[in-house]
Amino acid sequence: MSDCLFCRIVAREIPATVVHETDTTLAFRDIAPQAPTHVVLVPKVHAPDAVALAAAAPTVLDDLFLAAGEVAKAEGVVDSGYRLLFNTGEDAGQTVFHAHLHVLGGRRLGPLA
């Protein structure tokens, strides 16, 4: 989608600090990190949220989680722990309506609610 920020990052039209890439996923540093490690993983195919991605391309959803594990390992947060997070919808804080998975770590993370 030409007006989707993450589609434009995947197409390399907008720069990002890429930390991991597979045939189906792209991982890059968040521009407003909420933790010392904050990486955003996106599928290269557009879907508005995780549920839509699961319906349209369930194997790509699997790929996102596998890539998240590789990112966590590369970022050195596997042993201390990390959080995987999807925001779905405006009330949950989703601001880019392209499915994306956050990897957060590098410090103790508090409860979500």
Side-chain angles (χ1 to χ4, degrees):
M1 296 182 63
S2 63
D3 61 339
C4 172
L5 173 66
F6 290 164
C7 286
R8 293 184 67 203
I9 289 172
V10 167
R12 303 302 208 270
E13 295 171 6
I14 295 175
T17 304
V18 174
V19 298
H20 186 77
E21 184 172 11
T22 70
D23 290 342
T24 59
T25 68
L26 185 70
F28 50 91
R29 298 211 182 278
D30 194 289
I31 62 168
Q34 302 301 304
T37 295
H38 190 166
V39 175
V40 178
L41 291 97
V42 300
K44 290 183 177 179
V45 60
H46 182 85
D49 58 50
V51 174
L53 180 63
T59 60
V60 175
L61 188 61
D62 292 345
D63 293 346
L64 276 178
F65 281 101
L66 292 171
E70 292 299 317
V71 166
K73 191 180 309 176
E75 294 291 317
V77 296
V78 170
D79 291 336
S80 60
Y82 57 97
R83 180 174 290 158
L84 299 178
L85 176 70
F86 279 106
N87 293 320
T88 302
E90 288 182 28
D91 283 353
Q94 186 178 8
T95 57
V96 179
F97 291 87
H98 180 122
H100 56 286
L101 177 62
H102 296 265
V103 176
L104 299 143
R107 67 167 169 82
R108 181 170 294 279
L109 301 170
L112 292 176

